[in-house]
């Protein structure tokens, strides 16, 4: 992921990350926008800008919708 972000000329501060497991913690901490699902681990939930239910409860779909909402203009 870090290589892709760098190749696009972005910084991690312009990236939204959805943490789904404890393994995502470091990316979550580096991201400009940090979302976490229940089950992503205590550190991720505490560091997240916003939390969502577990994947099994539809949390991933809700988190993806929230990321998409960030990209829409405020006044279309």
């Amino acid at each position: 992921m870090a290589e892709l972000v760098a190749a696009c000329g972005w910084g991690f501060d312009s990236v939204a990350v959805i943490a789904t497991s404890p393994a995502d913690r470091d990316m979550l901490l580096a991201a400009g926008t940090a979302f976490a699902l229940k089950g992503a681990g205590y550190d991720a939930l505490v560091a997240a800008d916003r939390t969502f239910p577990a994947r099994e409860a539809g949390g991933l779909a809700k988190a993806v919708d929230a990321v998409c909402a960030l990209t829409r203009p405020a006044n279309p």
Side-chain angles (χ1 to χ4, degrees):
M1 170 89 102
E3 289 177 17
L4 176 61
V5 170
C8 291
W10 303 333
F12 257 97
D13 59 333
S14 63
V15 173
V17 169
I18 302 169
T20 61
S21 78
D24 299 329
R25 182 178 84 66
D26 290 342
M27 282 193 301
L28 181 93
L29 294 174
T33 301
F35 295 157
L37 304 187
K38 290 194 177 172
Y42 178 79
D43 290 343
L45 292 172
V46 170
D49 298 314
R50 189 168 164 194
T51 60
F52 295 87
R55 183 186 296 254
E56 303 80 32
L60 184 58
K62 291 176 184 176
V64 169
D65 285 344
V67 170
C68 291
L70 294 173
T71 65
R72 287 188 218 121
N75 296 312

